[in-house]
Amino acid sequence: MKNGDGEKNMPHSTIQFGKNTVTKSTTPDTMRVEVEKFRKAFEIGKDCGLFRVPKVLDYDETKGVAVFERIKTIQPVRDALFMTSQVKSIMEMVGRSLAIIHQKLTLPREMIIALPTEIDFPGTEVFLHGDFNGYNVCFEEHSSMIIVLDWQTAAIHGGRATYGSRYFDLLWFVNYMLWTPTLRYLWGDPVNPVTKVFLKSYFKEAGILYDTEMFVQYAKSFFETEIPLSKQQEGRMTRCLFPRSYILTQRFIESLKTMTSK
């Protein structure tokens, strides 16, 4: 959910922004799962003190309509790429937050919906955020606390999956950074250094070893699927920069071969 006024329509939902609320409507089954994820994640964030999730203020289960708290003083983490004084600490918190979400988030058995097979990876399954990208992950301006929005899986992947490879959430975040380029991407590589901070802080907080072979294998397969999809989503100006995004993506995959979790 982007932080703006008015209404926007998505393939699986409609979102209306009010002064202090965000009202979202979708199919009752989909909203039931998302509200459950919001409520569980709200408690996880409150307990760990590292991130915050908007509170569910009202929910009509029959109609598939939920009203959420609107947190106004936030900026997308995507904007932090060029904030040199803060970007490292913000990315560390983002990585730690996702690790805690993967550790703590659980859903009832009837809400377990698998990722599509082409973006899943056996043996790395967790309950997922599902649309962990540079706009749904924000930071609060006055506190730099991480704010995590929109707990429905990305519409481009069906909007319903709740369970699958932890690598999906990790690389979906990186993919967004790589494939929403600006002109500054032409003069350097703003993505690779900060995504390394994000990934290392994730594996450290999660307490799991970074398996180079497995992660590189997944990344190659993931980007083979995601790059064509990413190219469909942006406007003409952004598409002009996609050759640079492709170069940075290949550089990112190569860098994973020498990355460690230490």
Side-chain angles (χ1 to χ4, degrees):
M1 289 180 280
K2 294 183 182 181
N3 200 34
D5 290 306
E7 183 178 286
K8 67 172 183 175
N9 292 310
M10 299 170 65
H12 294 275
S13 62
T14 300
I15 299 174
Q16 179 69 46
F17 294 92
K19 183 178 180 181
N20 297 306
T21 60
V22 177
T23 302
K24 184 173 182 178
S25 60
T26 186
T27 63
D29 286 348
T30 301
M31 183 56 73
R32 190 175 299 114
V33 174
E34 185 170 11
V35 166
E36 182 72 10
K37 290 172 75 176
F38 257 98
R39 286 173 170 164
K40 291 284 182 67
F42 177 86
E43 295 299 327
I44 294 167
K46 186 171 68 172
D47 288 345
C48 75
L50 188 62
F51 66 91
R52 183 178 168 196
V53 174
K55 189 174 184 178
V56 179
L57 302 177
D58 195 14
Y59 170 44
D60 187 323
E61 184 174 1
T62 304
K63 294 181 179 179
V65 178
V67 180
F68 303 96
E69 168 193 15
R70 181 177 179 183
I71 304 172
K72 297 180 181 179
T73 57
I74 57 177
Q75 292 185 47
V77 164
R78 170 66 176 72
D79 295 351
L81 274 180
F82 306 105
M83 298 172 59
T84 55
S85 62
Q86 291 179 268
V87 64
K88 182 177 179 181
S89 63
I90 289 172
M91 289 300 170
E92 284 177 346
M93 288 191 292
V94 172
R96 292 179 61 202
S97 295
L98 183 58
I100 292 170
I101 290 165
H102 285 171
Q103 287 174 336
K104 303 292 186 181
L105 182 63
T106 60
L107 294 174
R109 182 179 296 275
E110 65 271 17
M111 291 185 178
I112 299 176
I113 304 168
L115 277 174
T117 55
E118 66 271 16
I119 52 173
D120 209 352
F121 200 100
T124 59
E125 294 93 343
V126 293
F127 284 100
L128 301 164
H129 176 278
D131 199 2
F132 200 81
N133 68 42
Y135 269 106
N136 289 334
V137 184
C138 303
F139 63 97
E140 203 164 20
E141 294 172 7
H142 64 273
S143 68
S144 294
M145 177 175 276
I146 301 303
I147 311 295
V148 186
L149 310 174
D150 201 345
W151 289 75
Q152 181 182 342
T153 292
I156 202 167
H157 292 299
R160 299 186 70 246
T162 61
Y163 189 78
S165 176
R166 66 175 72 241
Y167 295 163
F168 172 75
D169 273 347
L170 286 166
L171 288 182
W172 188 245
F173 182 79
V174 175
N175 177 73
Y176 186 87
M177 297 294 189
L178 288 166
W179 288 90
T180 55
T182 70
L183 288 174
R184 295 192 188 190
Y185 282 42
L186 297 176
W187 305 316
D189 183 351
V191 179
N192 210 2
V194 299
T195 53
K196 286 293 184 58
V197 173
F198 161 67
L199 291 172
K200 287 185 176 183
S201 65
Y202 173 89
F203 284 106
K204 182 177 180 181
E205 183 69 38
I208 59 176
L209 293 176
Y210 169 66
D211 187 318
T212 303
E213 183 178 354
M214 186 181 293
F215 197 54
V216 170
Q217 180 183 345
Y218 182 87
K220 288 179 178 179
S221 175
F222 176 89
F223 285 112
E224 285 176 2
T225 300
E226 296 303 329
I227 287 175
L229 295 176
S230 297
K231 288 180 177 179
Q232 299 172 19
Q233 300 301 303
E234 300 296 337
R236 182 179 301 174
M237 176 61 74
T238 302
R239 288 200 298 270
C240 291
L241 297 170
F242 280 169
R244 182 61 176 166
S245 291
Y246 182 81
I247 291 170
L248 295 183
T249 299
Q250 299 310 306
R251 186 179 296 174
F252 169 75
I253 293 172
E254 285 300 310
S255 73
L256 294 177
K257 297 177 182 178
T258 57
M259 192 184 84
T260 68
S261 54
K262 296 180 179 180

